[in-house]
Amino acid sequence: MVAMNAVIDENAFAGGKFVTKSRRNTPGFCDTKFSVGVGNGTDALWFALLAKDVGPGDEVITVP
């Protein structure tokens, strides 16, 4: 909650030091080499599907 309040107080919702810090910390937290920030949940799902080689003709079932 403290981090979110800092983002709100500084009106820093895109880019900047908070995104940089998150990108540096996320790989260690997720036990991976790299991370990328995306603009929304749809982009996050799209990147995840690309990473798993899901493409045209594959079936993806989601909730409404």
Coordinates of all heavy atoms in Angstrom, one line a residue:
M1 N 0.8 -1.2 0.0 CA 0.0 0.0 0.0 C 0.9 1.3 0.0 O 0.5 2.2 -0.6 CB -0.9 0.0 1.2 CG -2.0 1.0 1.2 SD -3.1 0.5 -0.2 CE -4.4 1.7 0.1
V2 N 2.0 1.2 0.7 CA 2.9 2.4 0.7 C 3.4 2.7 -0.7 O 3.4 3.9 -1.1 CB 4.1 2.1 1.7 CG1 5.1 3.2 1.6 CG2 3.6 1.9 3.1
A3 N 3.8 1.7 -1.4 CA 4.3 1.9 -2.8 C 3.2 2.5 -3.7 O 3.5 3.5 -4.4 CB 4.8 0.6 -3.4
M4 N 2.0 2.0 -3.6 CA 0.9 2.5 -4.4 C 0.6 4.0 -4.0 O 0.4 4.8 -4.9 CB -0.4 1.7 -4.2 CG -1.4 2.0 -5.2 SD -0.8 1.6 -6.9 CE -1.9 2.5 -7.8
N5 N 0.6 4.3 -2.8 CA 0.4 5.7 -2.3 C 1.5 6.6 -2.9 O 1.2 7.7 -3.3 CB 0.3 5.8 -0.8 CG -1.0 5.3 -0.3 OD1 -2.0 5.2 -1.0 ND2 -1.0 4.8 1.0
A6 N 2.7 6.1 -2.9 CA 3.8 6.9 -3.5 C 3.6 7.2 -5.0 O 3.8 8.3 -5.4 CB 5.2 6.2 -3.2
V7 N 3.2 6.2 -5.7 CA 2.9 6.4 -7.1 C 1.7 7.4 -7.3 O 1.8 8.3 -8.1 CB 2.5 5.0 -7.8 CG1 1.9 5.3 -9.2 CG2 3.6 4.1 -7.8
I8 N 0.7 7.3 -6.5 CA -0.4 8.2 -6.6 C 0.0 9.6 -6.2 O -0.3 10.6 -6.9 CB -1.6 7.7 -5.7 CG1 -2.2 6.5 -6.3 CG2 -2.7 8.8 -5.6 CD1 -3.2 5.7 -5.4
D9 N 0.7 9.8 -5.1 CA 1.2 11.1 -4.6 C 2.0 11.8 -5.7 O 1.9 13.0 -5.8 CB 2.0 11.0 -3.3 CG 1.1 10.6 -2.2 OD1 -0.1 10.7 -2.3 OD2 1.7 10.2 -1.1
E10 N 2.8 11.0 -6.4 CA 3.7 11.6 -7.5 C 3.1 11.7 -8.8 O 3.7 12.1 -9.8 CB 5.0 10.9 -7.5 CG 5.8 11.1 -6.2 CD 7.2 10.6 -6.3 OE1 7.8 10.6 -7.4 OE2 7.7 10.1 -5.2
N11 N 1.8 11.1 -8.9 CA 1.1 11.1 -10.2 C 2.0 10.4 -11.3 O 2.1 10.9 -12.4 CB 0.7 12.5 -10.6 CG -0.4 12.4 -11.7 OD1 -1.1 11.4 -11.8 ND2 -0.5 13.5 -12.5
A12 N 2.7 9.3 -10.9 CA 3.7 8.7 -11.8 C 3.1 7.3 -12.2 O 3.6 6.3 -11.9 CB 5.0 8.5 -11.1
F13 N 2.1 7.3 -13.0 CA 1.4 6.1 -13.4 C 2.0 5.4 -14.6 O 1.8 4.2 -14.8 CB -0.1 6.3 -13.7 CG -0.8 6.9 -12.5 CD1 -1.1 8.2 -12.4 CD2 -1.2 6.0 -11.5 CE1 -1.8 8.7 -11.3 CE2 -1.8 6.5 -10.4 CZ -2.1 7.8 -10.3
A14 N 2.8 6.1 -15.4 CA 3.5 5.4 -16.5 C 4.9 5.9 -16.6 O 5.2 7.1 -16.5 CB 2.7 5.8 -17.8
G15 N 5.8 4.9 -16.7 CA 7.2 5.3 -16.8 C 7.8 5.8 -15.5 O 7.2 5.7 -14.5
G16 N 9.0 6.3 -15.6 CA 9.6 6.9 -14.4 C 10.3 5.9 -13.5 O 10.5 4.7 -13.8
K17 N 10.6 6.4 -12.3 CA 11.4 5.6 -11.4 C 10.7 4.4 -10.8 O 11.3 3.4 -10.5 CB 11.9 6.5 -10.2 CG 10.8 7.0 -9.3 CD 11.4 7.9 -8.2 CE 10.3 8.4 -7.3 NZ 10.8 9.3 -6.3
F18 N 9.4 4.5 -10.7 CA 8.7 3.3 -10.2 C 8.7 2.1 -11.1 O 8.8 1.0 -10.7 CB 7.2 3.7 -9.8 CG 7.2 4.7 -8.7 CD1 6.8 6.0 -8.9 CD2 7.5 4.4 -7.4 CE1 6.8 7.0 -7.9 CE2 7.5 5.4 -6.4 CZ 7.1 6.6 -6.6
V19 N 8.5 2.4 -12.4 CA 8.5 1.4 -13.4 C 9.9 0.8 -13.5 O 10.1 -0.4 -13.6 CB 8.1 1.9 -14.8 CG1 8.3 0.9 -15.9 CG2 6.6 2.3 -14.7
T20 N 10.9 1.7 -13.5 CA 12.3 1.2 -13.5 C 12.6 0.3 -12.3 O 13.2 -0.8 -12.5 CB 13.3 2.4 -13.5 OG1 13.0 3.2 -14.6 CG2 14.7 1.9 -13.5
K21 N 12.2 0.7 -11.2 CA 12.4 -0.2 -10.0 C 11.7 -1.5 -10.1 O 12.3 -2.5 -9.8 CB 12.0 0.6 -8.7 CG 12.3 -0.2 -7.4 CD 11.9 0.7 -6.2 CE 12.1 -0.1 -4.9 NZ 11.8 0.7 -3.7
S22 N 10.5 -1.5 -10.6 CA 9.7 -2.7 -10.7 C 10.4 -3.6 -11.7 O 10.5 -4.8 -11.5 CB 8.3 -2.4 -11.2 OG 7.6 -3.5 -11.5
R23 N 10.8 -3.1 -12.9 CA 11.5 -3.9 -13.9 C 12.8 -4.5 -13.4 O 13.2 -5.6 -13.8 CB 11.8 -3.1 -15.2 CG 10.5 -2.9 -15.9 CD 10.7 -2.3 -17.3 NE 12.1 -2.1 -17.7 CZ 12.5 -1.0 -18.4 NH1 11.6 -0.1 -18.7 NH2 13.7 -0.8 -18.7
R24 N 13.5 -3.8 -12.5 CA 14.7 -4.4 -11.9 C 14.4 -5.4 -10.9 O 15.2 -6.4 -10.7 CB 15.5 -3.2 -11.3 CG 16.2 -2.3 -12.3 CD 17.1 -1.3 -11.6 NE 17.6 -0.4 -12.6 CZ 17.9 0.8 -12.4 NH1 17.6 1.4 -11.2 NH2 18.4 1.6 -13.4
N25 N 13.3 -5.3 -10.1 CA 13.1 -6.3 -9.0 C 12.2 -7.5 -9.5 O 12.3 -8.5 -8.9 CB 12.3 -5.5 -7.9 CG 13.2 -4.5 -7.2 OD1 14.4 -4.6 -7.2 ND2 12.5 -3.5 -6.6
T26 N 11.4 -7.4 -10.5 CA 10.5 -8.4 -10.9 C 11.3 -9.7 -11.3 O 10.9 -10.8 -10.9 CB 9.6 -8.0 -12.0 OG1 8.9 -6.8 -11.5 CG2 8.6 -9.1 -12.4
P27 N 12.3 -9.7 -12.1 CA 13.0 -10.9 -12.5 C 13.5 -11.8 -11.3 O 13.3 -13.0 -11.3 CB 14.2 -10.5 -13.3 CG 13.8 -9.2 -13.9 CD 12.9 -8.5 -12.8
G28 N 14.0 -11.1 -10.3 CA 14.4 -11.9 -9.1 C 13.2 -12.5 -8.3 O 13.3 -13.6 -7.9
F29 N 12.2 -11.7 -8.2 CA 11.0 -12.1 -7.5 C 10.3 -13.3 -8.3 O 9.8 -14.2 -7.6 CB 10.0 -11.0 -7.4 CG 8.7 -11.3 -6.7 CD1 8.7 -11.4 -5.4 CD2 7.6 -11.6 -7.5 CE1 7.5 -11.7 -4.7 CE2 6.4 -11.9 -6.8 CZ 6.3 -12.0 -5.5
C30 N 10.4 -13.3 -9.6 CA 9.7 -14.3 -10.4 C 10.7 -15.4 -10.8 O 10.4 -16.3 -11.6 CB 9.1 -13.7 -11.7 SG 7.8 -12.6 -11.3
D31 N 12.0 -15.3 -10.4 CA 13.0 -16.3 -10.7 C 13.1 -16.5 -12.2 O 13.1 -17.6 -12.8 CB 12.7 -17.7 -10.1 CG 13.9 -18.6 -10.1 OD1 15.0 -18.1 -10.1 OD2 13.7 -19.8 -10.2
T32 N 13.3 -15.3 -12.9 CA 13.5 -15.3 -14.4 C 14.6 -14.3 -14.7 O 15.0 -13.5 -13.8 CB 12.2 -15.0 -15.1 OG1 12.4 -15.1 -16.5 CG2 11.7 -13.6 -14.8
K33 N 15.1 -14.3 -15.9 CA 16.2 -13.4 -16.3 C 15.6 -12.0 -16.7 O 16.3 -11.0 -16.5 CB 16.9 -13.9 -17.5 CG 17.8 -15.1 -17.2 CD 18.6 -15.6 -18.4 CE 19.4 -16.8 -18.1 NZ 20.2 -17.2 -19.2
F34 N 14.4 -11.9 -17.2 CA 13.9 -10.7 -17.8 C 12.5 -10.4 -17.3 O 11.8 -11.3 -16.9 CB 14.0 -10.7 -19.3 CG 15.3 -11.0 -19.9 CD1 15.6 -12.3 -20.3 CD2 16.3 -10.1 -19.9 CE1 16.8 -12.6 -20.9 CE2 17.6 -10.4 -20.4 CZ 17.8 -11.7 -20.9
S35 N 12.1 -9.2 -17.5 CA 10.7 -8.8 -17.3 C 10.4 -7.7 -18.2 O 11.3 -7.0 -18.7 CB 10.4 -8.4 -15.8 OG 11.0 -7.1 -15.5
V36 N 9.1 -7.5 -18.5 CA 8.6 -6.4 -19.3 C 7.4 -5.8 -18.7 O 6.5 -6.6 -18.2 CB 8.4 -6.8 -20.8 CG1 7.4 -7.9 -20.9 CG2 8.1 -5.6 -21.7
G37 N 7.2 -4.5 -18.7 CA 6.0 -3.9 -18.3 C 5.1 -3.7 -19.4 O 5.5 -3.4 -20.6
V38 N 3.8 -3.9 -19.2 CA 2.8 -3.7 -20.3 C 1.7 -2.7 -19.8 O 1.6 -2.4 -18.6 CB 2.1 -5.1 -20.7 CG1 3.1 -6.0 -21.3 CG2 1.5 -5.8 -19.5
G39 N 1.0 -2.3 -20.8 CA 0.0 -1.2 -20.5 C -1.3 -1.7 -19.9 O -2.0 -0.9 -19.3
N40 N -1.6 -3.0 -20.0 CA -2.9 -3.4 -19.5 C -2.9 -4.9 -19.4 O -2.0 -5.6 -19.9 CB -4.1 -2.9 -20.4 CG -3.9 -3.3 -21.9 OD1 -3.7 -4.4 -22.2 ND2 -3.8 -2.3 -22.7
G41 N -4.0 -5.5 -18.9 CA -4.1 -6.9 -18.8 C -4.2 -7.7 -20.1 O -3.7 -8.8 -20.2
T42 N -4.8 -7.0 -21.1 CA -5.0 -7.7 -22.4 C -3.6 -7.9 -23.0 O -3.3 -9.0 -23.5 CB -5.8 -6.8 -23.3 OG1 -7.1 -6.7 -22.7 CG2 -5.9 -7.5 -24.7
D43 N -2.7 -6.9 -22.9 CA -1.3 -7.0 -23.4 C -0.6 -8.1 -22.6 O 0.2 -8.9 -23.2 CB -0.6 -5.7 -23.3 CG -1.0 -4.7 -24.3 OD1 -1.7 -5.1 -25.3 OD2 -0.6 -3.5 -24.2
A44 N -0.8 -8.2 -21.3 CA -0.1 -9.2 -20.5 C -0.6 -10.6 -21.0 O 0.3 -11.5 -21.1 CB -0.5 -9.0 -19.0
L45 N -1.8 -10.8 -21.2 CA -2.3 -12.1 -21.7 C -1.8 -12.4 -23.1 O -1.4 -13.5 -23.4 CB -3.8 -12.1 -21.7 CG -4.5 -12.1 -20.3 CD1 -6.0 -11.9 -20.5 CD2 -4.2 -13.4 -19.6
W46 N -1.7 -11.4 -23.9 CA -1.2 -11.6 -25.3 C 0.2 -12.0 -25.3 O 0.6 -13.0 -25.9 CB -1.4 -10.3 -26.1 CG -1.0 -10.4 -27.5 CD1 -1.4 -11.3 -28.5 CD2 0.0 -9.6 -28.2 NE1 -0.7 -11.1 -29.7 CE2 0.1 -10.0 -29.5 CE3 0.8 -8.5 -27.7 CZ2 1.0 -9.4 -30.4 CZ3 1.6 -7.9 -28.6 CH2 1.7 -8.4 -29.9
F47 N 1.1 -11.4 -24.5 CA 2.5 -11.7 -24.3 C 2.6 -13.1 -23.8 O 3.5 -13.9 -24.2 CB 3.2 -10.7 -23.5 CG 3.7 -9.5 -24.3 CD1 3.2 -8.3 -23.9 CD2 4.6 -9.6 -25.3 CE1 3.6 -7.2 -24.6 CE2 5.1 -8.5 -26.0 CZ 4.6 -7.3 -25.6
A48 N 1.8 -13.5 -22.8 CA 1.9 -14.8 -22.2 C 1.5 -15.9 -23.3 O 2.2 -16.9 -23.3 CB 0.9 -14.9 -21.0
L49 N 0.5 -15.6 -24.1 CA 0.1 -16.6 -25.1 C 1.2 -16.7 -26.2 O 1.6 -17.8 -26.7 CB -1.2 -16.2 -25.8 CG -2.4 -16.3 -24.9 CD1 -3.6 -15.6 -25.5 CD2 -2.7 -17.7 -24.5
L50 N 1.8 -15.6 -26.5 CA 3.0 -15.6 -27.5 C 4.1 -16.4 -26.9 O 4.8 -17.2 -27.7 CB 3.4 -14.2 -27.8 CG 2.6 -13.3 -28.7 CD1 3.1 -11.9 -28.8 CD2 2.4 -14.0 -30.1
A51 N 4.4 -16.3 -25.6 CA 5.5 -17.0 -25.0 C 5.3 -18.5 -25.0 O 6.2 -19.3 -25.1 CB 5.7 -16.5 -23.6
K52 N 4.0 -18.9 -25.0 CA 3.7 -20.3 -25.0 C 3.4 -20.8 -26.5 O 2.9 -21.9 -26.7 CB 2.5 -20.6 -24.1 CG 2.7 -20.3 -22.7 CD 3.9 -21.0 -22.1 CE 3.6 -22.5 -21.8 NZ 4.7 -23.2 -21.1
D53 N 3.7 -20.0 -27.5 CA 3.5 -20.4 -28.9 C 2.1 -20.7 -29.2 O 1.8 -21.5 -30.1 CB 4.4 -21.6 -29.3 CG 5.9 -21.2 -29.3 OD1 6.2 -20.1 -29.7 OD2 6.7 -22.0 -28.9
V54 N 1.2 -20.0 -28.6 CA -0.3 -20.1 -29.0 C -0.5 -19.2 -30.1 O -0.1 -18.0 -30.2 CB -1.2 -19.7 -27.8 CG1 -2.6 -19.7 -28.2 CG2 -0.9 -20.6 -26.6
G55 N -1.2 -19.7 -31.1 CA -1.4 -18.9 -32.4 C -2.7 -19.3 -33.0 O -3.6 -19.9 -32.5
P56 N -2.8 -18.8 -34.3 CA -4.1 -19.1 -35.0 C -4.4 -20.6 -35.1 O -3.5 -21.4 -35.3 CB -3.7 -18.5 -36.4 CG -2.7 -17.5 -36.2 CD -1.9 -18.0 -35.0
G57 N -5.6 -20.9 -34.8 CA -6.1 -22.3 -34.8 C -6.0 -22.9 -33.5 O -6.6 -24.0 -33.3
D58 N -5.3 -22.3 -32.5 CA -5.3 -22.9 -31.2 C -6.5 -22.4 -30.4 O -7.0 -21.3 -30.6 CB -4.0 -22.4 -30.4 CG -2.8 -23.0 -31.0 OD1 -2.8 -24.1 -31.5 OD2 -1.7 -22.3 -31.0
E59 N -7.0 -23.2 -29.5 CA -8.1 -22.9 -28.7 C -7.7 -22.3 -27.4 O -6.9 -22.9 -26.7 CB -9.0 -24.1 -28.5 CG -10.3 -23.8 -27.7 CD -11.2 -25.0 -27.5 OE1 -10.7 -26.1 -27.6 OE2 -12.4 -24.8 -27.3
V60 N -8.2 -21.1 -27.0 CA -8.0 -20.5 -25.8 C -9.3 -20.2 -25.1 O -10.2 -19.6 -25.7 CB -7.2 -19.1 -25.9 CG1 -7.1 -18.4 -24.6 CG2 -5.9 -19.4 -26.6
I61 N -9.5 -20.8 -23.9 CA -10.8 -20.6 -23.2 C -10.6 -19.7 -22.0 O -9.7 -19.9 -21.2 CB -11.3 -22.0 -22.7 CG1 -11.5 -22.9 -23.9 CG2 -12.6 -21.8 -21.9 CD1 -11.8 -24.4 -23.6
T62 N -11.4 -18.7 -21.9 CA -11.3 -17.7 -20.8 C -12.7 -17.5 -20.2 O -13.7 -18.0 -20.7 CB -10.8 -16.3 -21.3 OG1 -11.7 -15.8 -22.2 CG2 -9.4 -16.5 -22.0
V63 N -12.7 -16.8 -19.1 CA -13.9 -16.4 -18.5 C -14.4 -15.1 -19.1 O -13.6 -14.4 -19.6 CB -13.8 -16.2 -16.9 CG1 -13.4 -17.5 -16.3 CG2 -12.8 -15.2 -16.6
P64 N -15.7 -14.9 -19.1 CA -16.3 -13.6 -19.7 C -15.8 -12.4 -18.9 O -15.5 -12.4 -17.8 CB -17.8 -13.8 -19.7 CG -18.1 -15.0 -18.8 CD -16.8 -15.7 -18.6

